[in-house]
Every structure is written in structure tokens, then in C-alpha cells.
Amino acid sequence: MAVNKEKTVFVCTNCGQESPKWAGKCPSCGQWNTFVEEVVRKEAPVAKHVAHGIESVRSKPVRLREVTGSEEQRIDMGDDELNRVLGGGLVEGSLTLIGGEPGIGKSTLVLQTVLRLGRLKVLYVSGEESTRQLKLRADRIPHPETDNLLIACETSLEEIFTNIKNTAPDLVIIDSIQTISTGSIDSSPGSIVQVRECSAAILKFAKETGTPVILIGHINKEGSIAGPKVLEHIVDTVLQFEGDQHYMYRILRSIKNRFGSTAELGIYEMRQDGLRQVSNPSELLLSQDYEGMSGVAIAGAIEGIRPFLIEVQALVSTAAYGMPQRSATGFDIRRMNMLLAVLEKRVGFKLGQKDVFLNIAGGLKVNDPAIDLAVISAILSSNMDTEIEPGVCMAGEVGLSGEIRPVNRIEQRIGEAEKLGFKRMLVPKHNLQGLDRKKLGIELVPVRKVEEAFRELFG
């Protein structure tokens, strides 16, 4: 008796290319080790109404000028940081994906937000935690009494839709999408095909009913959201929750947003009673007392569109071993090596036989090139064991020839430094063109080369 074997095909998780056999490199997108095996489903035959060889369609094209444009209806989440990242609030009928490392605080962020939405009926579907675990987590978060938060511990997509039909919620939370599976597909939860099909079904529900859905997703060891890449294409908004578990600060970034800007970010502080919004990150990222300490420089940085001042710390010491060490926390190590080469070649400071350690205080990861000037100033301050005068901050990108290149949005950086009481600020000379310095309450020191900056700082 012949046994019916399931037909399988290998699918690229990055671009969706199908192949009858496994391949190390995808011929379509060029990515390595992205092919996974999937079971081929037999699709039910679809009835087609054909007239004169042309299929009938349910919709017809319309002219662009006939389309009426209106503002999207948004839901106030009661969290200024989250509202900012979403573009003003959660759009009705949207599908939002929040990704992050395990234990970073994704579930805590979502749970504390919905606990304060007393006016909305929320269905929280958890595929990872029991109702008792969620209750213990909610008890740690201060919140008003609410009867509109419903909890369902379920992993079956069909049962989830049944619960939604019975409760008619205003907002649906699914934690996490990798634990949800549908019975129509014979594969384990978290597989490529399960994540793709469940997400597509949830998207269809959100668009047809106008109910917003928030998905919580895991990330893999490469730092990208687990599952097929098509998951990020399906959803309307992708938010990344970042941070170091050993530090208390968390950053919520918008990677994709069909209803707002991707330049926004929210900053939170992790505490025993949940996540606290940080409306003024500069005051928390700066030490209360850094006078008399060498190797510390204050930089005016921009993350997203938010300006804030950060503390750059450096330590330079004689190499204890033959090979000097180079270490950077929160800063690109390759860029630090480039700046060290600029110091040696253009300024004449020999650091080839010394260990150099760099740290961005607070556990932040900063990619803004405008902190280059603060990085080399902190390194030189530690090397000379001379402190930088208190009340001085700086912003400027350092080029390979030792020039200080102009940076973007200099007015916001200056305004943040002035607000925090700094007296002097080193800025690129080209950034002063068209800037009215008379109205500012801070002294701006224009610098064109690295040597000029060092003369202003160390005499």
C-alpha cells in the first residue's frame, strides 16, 4: 500500500525564494544559511468567474483625485514616550510589532500601558505566561483599578479568534507571535510558515474590523526579529526595544512606521515597579559631580530627533602586555581606532603603546558622529591626566585630516546645553554661518581643526 508522503520545499526566510533542495546561498537575495524546510500545503480550489478571458474583481481602480484624504484615528496610549514613537498614538486597525531581547521589558511595557487604558476593553493573549504570572507582574505595577483588561492564555489561533468574537475588544495584545499556531498547518509553533500565516490572518482581522493589534516578537542571535522577513513587511509598525540588562535605561526605536516618522525614539528607566518615562534624558545621563576627574567629556548628541547631552568616559594607561588593548562600550570600536589614528598622525600624540578604554555612560549605544570631538577630548584628557573645565560641552565630527566637520541640527544641541546650564560649547566653525549668537545664553567657541579644540580645552 502506497504511503502518501508530504511534499516539502525549502524557502528563504529573507526573500521568500523557493527551492526544491537546500542551498547554502540564496540565488535571489544572496544571503547565506537562510533556507528552511516547509511542508507544501494543498490549496483548496478557488472558483473563478471568467468572462471573455478576464477574471472578475471585487474592486476597481479609482483616480487619485477621487480619493478623500483624512487624518487617521489614533488611540492615546497614556504614555508620552510611546505616543511619540508611534507618531501620535496607536492607529485604529493597525498591526504593530514590538521586538527585543528576552527580559528587556517588552511585556512589562505593554502590560503597564494597557493597565492604564481603563476606558478601552483590552484582550491580552499570552502564549508564554499563565494568568497567575501575569497577575503577579501586574501587582508590581502601580495602576488604577480596571475591569476592562481581559486575559487569555492561549496558543491556538482559532481559539484566539473565538475569544475575540465573544469579547469584542477595542485592542488586542498577542504575546508572543512565535508561540501562536494554527491547526490548518502541520508544523510546530514558531516555524517560518506558522509565523507567516498567523500574522497574515491577524492582519486581515485588524484591517477588516478596525481593531488595533499589538504583537510582541522575539529576536534571534543576530539581533533581528525571529521568523520570516515577510513578518516585518506585513505589519504596519515595527518597534525595537533596546538596552543592556545590566543598566537601567531602555530605548524604544521605530524601525518602520506607515503612520509616522522613524526618527523618533522613547527613553525609559527600568525600575522595580515597571518602566518610568524619561522626559529629560540629559539630566539622568550626566553624572552629578564629575569635577576634578580626567577622561570625562560632555557631548551634545542627537538620537532620532531628540537632543541630549551624554558623558563620554575614557581611560588611557600604559599597556601591561605587548599588544595594547582597545575597548569601547556604546561606541563603534572601528571608529574609535580611526580617531586614535587621527590623533597620532595629525596631532602627534603617540598612543600606539597604550591601552585605550572608552565608555558611554548610562549603557547607551550612540552612533551620532557629532560625538567624535568629545571622544578624542576625553582620550586626550585621560592621557594627560588633566580635567576638562566644568561647564564645557562640545559637538563636532572629526575628519581624517583632523578637521572638525559641521553637524546637523546644531541649534537643538546648543539649546539643550543652554537649558542644562553649560557656559561654553565647542562647535564646528562652519555651523555658525547664519546663526544669531547674540540671543544665546551660552558662549559658542568655533573650532576648525582638532588642534584648535585642544588649545581651547587645555591651553
Side-chain angles (χ1 to χ4, degrees):
M1 181 177 177
V3 179
N4 291 330
K5 290 186 177 181
E6 291 182 334
K7 184 180 178 181
T8 61
V9 67
F10 291 88
V11 180
C12 174
T13 59
N14 187 59
C15 66
Q17 173 75 21
E18 295 186 0
S19 173
K21 60 181 181 179
W22 186 86
K25 182 180 180 181
C26 176
S28 178
C29 64
Q31 297 293 317
W32 287 88
N33 299 323
T34 55
F35 275 100
V36 295
E37 189 175 14
E38 292 186 6
V39 178
V40 177
R41 293 185 302 155
K42 293 183 178 180
E43 299 289 345
V46 180
K48 297 182 179 180
H49 303 282
V50 181
H52 304 291
I54 301 176
E55 296 182 10
S56 62
V57 294
R58 290 179 294 177
S59 62
K60 62 179 182 179
V62 296
R63 292 182 177 86
L64 179 62
R65 59 183 176 82
E66 297 176 357
V67 179
T68 58
S70 60
E71 288 289 333
E72 298 286 350
Q73 296 295 321
R74 295 181 181 267
I75 300 173
D76 183 8
M77 303 301 290
D79 185 323
D80 294 337
E81 299 294 305
L82 182 58
N83 283 338
R84 178 188 295 112
V85 177
L86 289 172
L90 190 65
V91 176
E92 295 183 358
S94 64
L95 185 59
T96 301
L97 175 64
I98 300 179
E101 296 179 355
I104 204 68
K106 305 182 298 295
S107 300
T108 300
L109 172 65
V110 174
L111 183 60
Q112 77 174 27
T113 301
V114 298
L115 280 171
R116 295 162 185 164
L117 294 177
R119 66 190 185 282
L120 299 178
K121 182 185 288 187
V122 180
L123 176 62
Y124 192 106
V125 180
S126 176
E128 300 177 343
E129 296 180 295
S130 65
T131 54
R132 180 173 176 80
Q133 288 174 311
L134 287 172
K135 173 64 175 175
L136 292 174
R137 186 196 295 268
D139 288 341
R140 296 196 301 265
I141 302 172
H143 63 275
E145 290 294 330
T146 177
D147 293 328
N148 285 336
L149 178 57
L150 307 175
I151 296 176
C153 297
E154 186 59 64
T155 58
S156 169
L157 183 66
E158 288 77 16
E159 291 296 325
I160 291 174
F161 281 140
T162 301
N163 289 328
I164 291 174
K165 182 179 179 181
N166 294 335
T167 58
D170 301 313
L171 173 63
V172 178
I173 312 292
I174 296 181
D175 183 10
S176 65
I177 184 60
Q178 280 83 12
T179 62
I180 307 302
S181 62
T182 175
S184 61
I185 300 175
D186 188 17
S187 61
S188 60
S191 63
I192 300 298
V193 62
Q194 284 283 9
V195 173
R196 184 182 64 203
E197 296 301 322
C198 290
S199 302
I202 294 170
L203 174 69
K204 183 180 179 182
F205 155 76
K207 299 302 181 185
E208 289 180 350
T209 64
T211 305
V213 180
I214 296 179
L215 306 178
I216 297 177
H218 299 158
I219 65 171
N220 53 29
K221 61 183 180 181
E222 286 83 16
S224 57
I225 296 175
K229 197 68 176 177
V230 70
L231 173 60
E232 297 181 42
H233 294 293
I234 288 176
V235 300
D236 297 310
T237 305
V238 180
L239 305 182
Q240 189 86 3
F241 206 41
E242 304 172 355
D244 192 327
Q245 296 186 16
H246 303 290
Y247 292 92
M248 54 184 172
Y249 299 111
R250 303 287 186 268
I251 293 181
L252 184 66
R253 298 181 188 272
S254 175
I255 300 176
K256 170 189 174 182
N257 194 349
R258 289 174 177 161
F259 308 109
S261 171
T262 57
E264 291 283 4
L265 82 161
I267 301 180
Y268 294 88
E269 180 186 4
M270 177 62 81
R271 307 174 75 173
Q272 291 287 343
D273 56 353
L275 292 160
R276 185 183 72 85
Q277 304 174 45
V278 179
S279 57
N280 188 8
S282 298
E283 295 181 354
L284 294 177
L285 296 176
L286 298 180
S287 296
Q288 297 299 319
D289 184 16
Y290 55 89
E291 294 185 14
M293 296 188 296
S294 62
V296 177
I298 308 300
I302 295 277
E303 277 293 303
I305 63 172
R306 296 183 69 180
F308 54 86
L309 301 186
I310 58 174
E311 182 180 315
V312 180
Q313 302 172 345
L315 175 63
V316 180
S317 62
T318 304
Y321 306 99
M323 182 66 69
Q325 300 181 64
R326 300 284 188 265
S327 175
T329 303
F331 190 75
D332 187 2
I333 183 67
R334 294 171 297 179
R335 190 162 187 86
M336 187 187 77
N337 289 330
M338 182 269 288
L339 295 175
L340 292 176
V342 171
L343 279 177
E344 184 163 345
K345 180 72 174 180
R346 304 298 181 187
V347 191
F349 288 96
K350 305 299 181 182
L351 300 172
Q353 298 303 315
K354 294 189 176 182
D355 294 335
V356 180
F357 304 95
L358 188 71
N359 177 48
I360 305 297
L364 292 181
K365 295 180 180 179
V366 182
N367 298 318
D368 188 1
I371 73 170
D372 287 352
L373 183 56
V375 168
I376 61 174
S377 299
I379 292 173
L380 187 57
S381 171
S382 178
N383 184 51
M384 299 169 57
D385 199 17
T386 303
E387 69 165 319
I388 295 175
E389 180 185 352
V392 176
C393 63
M394 58 203 75
E397 179 183 354
V398 177
L400 292 179
S401 60
E403 81 278 13
I404 308 296
R405 301 178 60 84
V407 297
N408 63 342
R409 299 213 294 275
I410 189 66
E411 296 88 352
Q412 291 179 266
R413 302 175 196 265
I414 296 172
E416 186 72 13
E418 183 180 358
K419 183 175 67 175
L420 292 176
F422 282 81
K423 304 300 181 184
R424 299 173 65 209
M425 183 173 185
L426 274 63
V427 297
K429 186 175 182 180
H430 294 287
N431 273 129
L432 293 183
Q433 296 179 0
L435 192 64
D436 188 5
R437 288 190 275 177
K438 296 180 181 179
K439 297 181 180 179
L440 301 175
I442 184 174
E443 179 187 355
L444 299 182
V445 181
V447 289
R448 193 171 60 90
K449 292 185 177 181
V450 174
E451 300 95 313
E452 297 178 15
F454 290 162
R455 281 197 297 269
E456 291 289 342
L457 293 172
F458 306 108

